[in-house]
Each structure stands twice: as structure tokens, then as C-alpha cells.
Amino acid sequence: MAEGAESIRRRTGGRSARIREQVFGAVLQELVAHGLSGLTLPAIAQRAGVHPTTLYRRWPDPEALALDAIRDRSMTQVAIPDTGTLAGDLTRFLTDLDAYVRSPLGRALLALQLTARGEADRIRQAFWRERFELSAAMIERAKSRGEIPATTAARPLLEFAIAPVYLHAAVLGDGLDQHSIALFVRRTIALAQAG
């Protein structure tokens, strides 16, 4: 992650927090309006009402800034549920994820993820590491409740669970209905229970 991007994240109050929110809101609006190819730091700065050097000091390029903003937004758009059962958690998680990746912002994220290079690629990798670490809580809770074996590896199971969402969004160009989500949830749990 860019050193500046990390430092702006550490300062959570006051002016820095306000600027960060303005910049992240602006980059997401620009991304949806113009796509990745039309994303520029000066345009983002203008929309955010900040001087371009504010951005250049913190992010090396528009892609790195976009991924950082998306990473921040994803934490609120696709929360890690705690419904009391693995089936309930996965159902809510996949439903929210499906809605998110088919939204204008989610489609922009898919395009950005596929083309990330350099610093943007490092941010993309950090994004996925963080998301898998946070999502693992669903699997750990299920293991502690005895729903799945204690030896279940969280990340491969989560990859199996989310793969259909991304296949449908990125390759097939559609989404999942509740029947399909329920089917994929059952298959994910059956895979875990099979050991």
C-alpha cells in the first residue's frame, strides 16, 4: 500500500478524516461516471474540492486511489454477518456480495481488479487478504458451534463459496437468485462437512 495512503488512514479524526471521506466519495463517483480509463487525479481533486497535490502526496496513481476507496467502501457494503448459523451467514454474505458486484460501483471494481498493476496490484492483493481474513470469522464461528469440522480451512472454503458470484457477475453478466444462492450455500457447507 502507498505510504501516504496508510498515513491518511491512521489519522482518523478531524480534517484528515473529512478530506479522506471527500476524496473517497469523489473517486467512487468519478469511477462510476467515467470508468477506470477516464479516472484522473485532477478530476478527482476537483470533485472532492481539494488541491491535486493532496492526492499526489498520498497515492501514486488513480488506480491505487480507486482501489483504496473501494476497499474502504466494501467494508460497509458487504459486512461480515453473524446470524448464528453458517447457512444464515453465508446466505446473507453471498446475497450482499451479489448485489454489490452488480452495482455500478461493483462493476467498476471488477474492471479495476482485472487491470491492476504496480501499486494498484499491491493494494488489490491487500484488499483480498483483508477480506478473506475478516470473512474467516464466519468459518471460525461455525467450527466453534460444531457445524463443520475443526480442521476446515477458511480461505479455500470461502473461495468456493464466492466463486459463483464472481463467475456470474464477471463472465456471464448476470446475478444469482435466492434459489441459486441457497444451492451454493448448501454445497459449500456439504464440502466443509465432507472434510
Side-chain angles (χ1 to χ4, degrees), residues 18-27 29-30 41-52 54-55 65:
R18 270 195 322 278
I19 290 173
R20 180 175 173 268
E21 288 308 309
Q22 286 172 229
V23 168
F24 282 1
V27 72
Q29 290 170 0
E30 284 288 310
L41 291 179
I44 294 164
Q46 182 176 6
R47 189 184 285 262
V50 300
H51 196 277
T54 301
L55 306 185
L65 172 53

Side-chain angles (χ1 to χ4, degrees), residues 19 67 74 83 89 104 121 130 134 139 158 168 194:
I19 290 173
L67 273 168
S74 295
T83 65
D89 288 352
D121 185 53
E130 184 176 74
L134 292 170
I139 308 306
L158 290 165
H168 279 263

Side-chain angles (χ1 to χ4, degrees), residues 17-147:
R18 270 195 322 278
I19 290 173
R20 180 175 173 268
E21 288 308 309
Q22 286 172 229
V23 168
F24 282 1
V27 72
L28 297 175
Q29 290 170 0
E30 284 288 310
L31 192 57
V32 170
H34 304 291
L36 181 59
S37 61
L39 202 62
T40 68
L41 291 179
I44 294 164
Q46 182 176 6
R47 189 184 285 262
V50 300
H51 196 277
T53 57
T54 301
L55 306 185
Y56 287 111
R57 283 194 308 260
R58 293 170 171 88
W59 292 279
D61 53 49
E63 292 82 5
L65 172 53
L67 273 168
D68 216 11
I70 289 167
R71 180 179 177 214
D72 182 77
R73 182 60 55 92
S74 295
M75 302 300 269
T76 57
Q77 297 291 315
V78 186
I80 309 305
D82 186 1
T83 65
T85 67
L86 181 57
D89 288 352
L90 288 174
T91 299
R92 183 171 299 163
F93 184 71
L94 294 182
T95 300
D96 290 350
L97 181 62
D98 180 66
Y100 180 59
V101 299
R102 289 188 295 125
S103 71
L105 180 57
R107 288 193 301 272
L109 168 63
L110 284 175
L112 186 57
Q113 297 263 4
L114 293 173
T115 59
R117 301 287 182 269
E119 179 64 18
D121 185 53
R122 286 188 288 279
I123 292 172
R124 178 185 59 80
Q125 291 176 29
F127 168 84
W128 281 107
R129 271 194 310 275
E130 184 176 74
R131 290 304 293 172
F132 278 120
E133 287 168 9
L134 292 170
S135 302
M138 293 184 289
I139 308 306
E140 296 307 315
R141 287 192 302 262
K143 291 195 293 190
S144 70
R145 290 188 299 257
E147 293 179 87

